[in-house]
Amino acid sequence: MKNLDKRAILSKAIESLNQRVKSLGESLTGTNSAINDAPGAMQSHSDTTRSQLTAVVDVAHKAFNNKVDELNLLRRFDSDNSTKLGPMTESRLGAIIVIQKKSTTNENYFLLPGGSGIKIEYEGQKLICITPSSPLGMALLGKKKNESFSLQVGSSIQQVKVLDIL
């Protein structure tokens, strides 16, 4: 995992999140159009009324705004990445962390301020973006290479070892 271009990986994360925002925006636009065409409560002959669709739009609008906020966080992080993406000796924002679970499974995570769950493939390596507010992100903050810790996932506890920090 050495010599990864974090800026290129961050750009891929931003592009992926940008596509999600675009998709959510298109979905929101389509649902808004459906609201305009939906019958009112007094004229409904269907199961879906204007008020029900409005509730759906409210949820979709919140999801859209959350993704836009995440995208803006990543863009700000990218614009100031010269100090945040350099070599690291402990897990913090901008770190790529290679961990081992169950003594055989290696996983690569990119700790970022937004874009949680985005999966990126870069030069044959798979990385998953996580945020410091996620359970794994919180557990990884401040960890150093070769450090081990326990992570509770649901009702089970997993042993995790930090193999590398880039």
Side-chain angles (χ1 to χ4, degrees):
M1 273 299 284
K2 295 288 183 194
N3 301 323
L4 290 179
D5 184 351
K6 289 184 189 178
R7 186 173 188 140
I9 297 168
L10 179 57
S11 292
K12 284 185 165 223
I14 289 170
E15 179 56 32
S16 180
L17 190 54
N18 194 43
Q19 289 299 321
R20 285 186 185 183
V21 166
K22 184 179 175 183
S23 177
L24 282 171
E26 289 168 356
S27 177
L28 196 57
T29 299
T31 307
N32 276 326
S33 294
I35 286 175
N36 293 333
D37 296 339
M42 300 304 290
Q43 56 187 181
S44 180
H45 292 31
S46 72
D47 293 336
T48 307
T49 64
R50 187 172 288 142
S51 64
Q52 290 168 322
L53 284 173
T54 300
V56 170
V57 165
D58 289 344
V59 171
H61 199 269
K62 184 176 179 178
F64 175 79
N65 285 337
N66 287 341
K67 289 299 175 195
V68 168
D69 290 346
E70 281 188 69
L71 182 59
N72 289 333
L73 275 172
L74 283 184
R75 286 180 175 156
R76 274 194 304 260
F77 187 77
D78 185 36
S79 68
D80 188 29
N81 70 20
S82 58
T83 58
K84 296 177 182 170
L85 294 177
M88 299 183 187
T89 57
E90 70 178 36
S91 300
R92 61 180 170 89
L93 278 179
I96 292 176
I97 306 135
V98 182
I99 65 171
Q100 183 180 57
K101 292 182 184 176
K102 300 178 185 174
S103 72
T104 57
T105 307
N106 291 0
E107 297 173 357
N108 307 312
Y109 292 94
F110 197 3
L111 193 58
L112 294 171
S116 187
I118 292 175
K119 295 177 182 173
I120 299 168
E121 181 139 348
Y122 182 78
E123 294 187 358
Q125 297 290 324
K126 293 180 182 179
L127 297 102
I128 301 170
C129 297
I130 59 171
T131 64
S133 61
S134 70
L136 179 58
M138 280 190 260
L140 283 171
L141 281 176
K143 297 293 188 280
K144 296 182 179 187
K145 187 175 178 178
N146 295 320
E147 196 169 336
S148 296
F149 60 95
S150 298
L151 177 67
Q152 184 159 355
V153 179
S155 61
S156 68
I157 296 178
Q158 295 181 357
Q159 294 304 311
V160 179
K161 182 176 182 180
V162 177
L163 298 178
D164 205 359
I165 299 172
L166 310 168

